[in-house]
Amino acid sequence: MEMGTASATRRRVPRAARVLAVLAVVCAAPALAWVVVVGGSFIDGPLVLGSLATAVPLFTRDAATFRTACLATGWAVLVLSALGFLFGLFALTPAGIVLLTAGSRSHPGPRRLPLLVGGLVSATALGLAGWVIGQSWVAPYFREPDAYLATVREGSPLLGLGPRPAEIRGDGSGLGHGATDVSLAETGGVPGGRLIVVFDPRTPAADLAVLRQRIVGLPGVGDVRLCDPPTHNCR
């Protein structure tokens, strides 16, 4: 009787449950990618920790240990994502849900609902992650420049504390010729500033040439160049 109980306890993990556990790790991968590519904030540590924790159940061999690891890790990841939901830890929520479905699917007997829920959550999460990555990291390489970037030298009247000159109104009306937005910002510790002039991508080349000359003619402005979207040197 004891041998039968032991063999039941050491039952192999169902393949479907293993697949769900792997999908949980894949769902957490975009969070790691975000840390590597963007990073630099206080949520980097929790994102990395939560992402790596999703792989813990894959190191178990029997169904009972696997189920315990999935449930414990899944709930821990969900709690972590809930605590930091507003700061970006929501990226771990799908992985936590899929881990719970993997633990449920490891029970004896056919259980189709966990597999269905886990697959649906994984497909939705990975689809959204793919869309975000495509829009943020891939699409810029196929986007035409839509702004001029210029250096504003120290001492330029454009950098004064008074009202902005009419030429650099925020809506671009002071420059015209396709300009839709004008922003003036500091250059991060370097004396002077930078001027960003966004224009309508449908603006004719002749108007863009005039717009560039108008920017060059502003006091203290130099090094006027097109913004190259893939290098993110404008916005």
Side-chain angles (χ1 to χ4, degrees):
M1 187 70 178
E2 293 181 358
M3 292 181 60
T5 304
S7 62
T9 303
R10 295 175 184 173
R11 185 175 58 89
R12 294 183 61 182
V13 180
R15 182 175 298 178
R18 284 279 186 192
V19 170
L20 287 173
V22 171
L23 286 176
V25 175
V26 175
C27 285
L32 279 178
W34 187 91
V35 172
V36 172
V37 177
V38 182
S41 68
F42 69 96
I43 66 169
D44 289 359
L47 278 176
V48 172
L49 180 63
S51 299
L52 296 179
T54 60
V56 170
L58 295 178
F59 295 97
T60 61
R61 295 186 177 182
D62 63 272
T65 307
F66 174 85
R67 183 164 56 252
T68 301
C70 283
L71 295 178
T73 307
W75 281 115
V77 170
L78 283 178
V79 170
L80 179 64
S81 65
L83 291 175
F85 189 87
L86 297 179
F87 302 103
L89 293 182
F90 60 83
L92 297 175
T93 302
I97 295 174
V98 177
L99 277 178
L100 294 182
T101 64
S104 180
R105 185 62 181 81
S106 65
H107 280 284
R111 299 170 66 88
R112 296 182 179 179
L113 184 58
L115 186 60
L116 178 62
V117 172
L120 183 61
V121 171
S122 299
T124 303
L126 294 177
L128 288 174
W131 182 81
V132 171
I133 290 172
Q135 290 294 313
S136 303
W137 301 339
V138 179
Y141 287 92
F142 301 93
R143 188 183 306 148
E144 293 296 325
D146 63 352
Y148 280 113
L149 175 65
T151 300
V152 183
R153 291 183 290 273
E154 186 180 15
S156 168
L158 300 180
L159 298 175
L161 298 178
R164 280 190 173 189
E167 291 82 2
I168 58 170
R169 288 179 187 146
D171 61 0
S173 60
L175 290 170
H177 300 281
T180 60
D181 183 81
V182 178
S183 60
L184 188 60
E186 296 184 2
T187 54
V190 179
R194 66 174 188 169
L195 182 69
I196 302 170
V197 179
V198 182
F199 54 80
D200 188 332
R202 297 166 296 182
T203 304
D207 278 331
L208 288 180
V210 176
L211 176 60
R212 186 182 186 281
Q213 289 302 316
R214 297 206 62 181
I215 297 172
V216 171
L218 294 173
V221 171
D223 188 25
V224 181
R225 59 194 183 279
L226 282 171
C227 165
D228 185 15
T231 63
H232 301 287
N233 66 353
C234 279
R235 290 168 290 159

